[in-house]
Amino acid sequence: MKTLLDSSTKLPRRSLLIAGMAGLAGLGLTACGKSAEDSQQALVPAEIDPRSTCDLDGMLLADYPGPKAQIFYEGTPQPLFFCDTVELFNTLLRPEQVRAVRAAFVQDMGLADWDQPRGHWFEAKNGLYVLGSKRHGSMGPTLASFSREDQAQAFIKSWGGRLLRYAEIRPEMVDLSGGALHDSRM
């Protein structure tokens, strides 16, 4: 019985070795592609609980009204939470933000209770945002987040503001500096 590596085989050993290595490399790339794809599919927003805190200021998320947010960074299995969408966008739009973001999620305020929002997460980049409404979040004026335009328009009709898409939000709209200076309640 002859084996593929016998000297009488028509394919030289070198060709078989190269073909075998190319096949293994192809399998490795396929496996890498699947695992990266699987990790993206497996990424789901985490739910806040009574102990969840904002990663910027340590505030308890459950103690404050308005939309919350979270970012999953590359290499980090747990998200960083934000007690307000303004904090999320302030973080994402800073020029020094260089960490690779796997996903950012916000709450759909067309479905969530404004005063005690839980659940109803969706990808921030797919959202519609209302800037300048009379409703405040944990940091004061906020960007109300919605997954559907009709719900955002109904919110605007009740609370005022203007509709923005994710890409329309600019750093000057989410500036966190000096917020306490303009808060007359403090």
Side-chain angles (χ1 to χ4, degrees), residues 12-139:
R13 284 185 199 183
R14 185 177 199 172
S15 295
L16 284 173
L17 188 57
I18 291 171
M21 289 167 64
L24 287 174
L27 284 173
L29 288 174
T30 301
C32 287
K34 282 185 181 174
S35 68
E37 209 174 273
D38 290 343
S39 70
Q40 287 295 351
Q41 290 174 351
L43 189 60
V44 294
E47 190 51 66
I48 59 173
D49 64 40
R51 296 176 316 274
S52 298
T53 59
C54 176
D55 283 279
L56 289 183
D57 54 29
M59 293 170 60
L60 288 170
L61 275 62
D63 288 352
Y64 297 94
K68 310 297 182 250
Q70 56 186 285
I71 295 177
F72 283 87
Y73 288 106
E74 279 298 327
T76 307
Q78 297 300 317
L80 281 95
F81 282 109
F82 299 89
C83 57
D84 199 294
T85 52
V86 171
E87 290 179 335
L88 168 80
F89 281 102
N90 182 271
T91 299
L92 291 174
L93 297 175
R94 281 188 294 181
E96 65 271 16
Q97 162 53 25
V98 294
R99 293 176 70 185
V101 175
R102 289 177 58 205
F105 295 98
V106 293
Q107 290 178 302
D108 187 343
M109 299 315 291
L111 301 172
D113 176 356
W114 188 275
D115 294 319
Q116 294 187 341
R118 301 288 184 273
H120 306 290
W121 298 97
F122 68 97
E123 284 211 45
K125 66 182 175 185
N126 299 328
L128 300 158
Y129 299 88
V130 177
L131 175 68
S133 80
K134 295 174 194 154
R135 299 266 2 219
H136 284 192
S138 65
M139 302 307 291

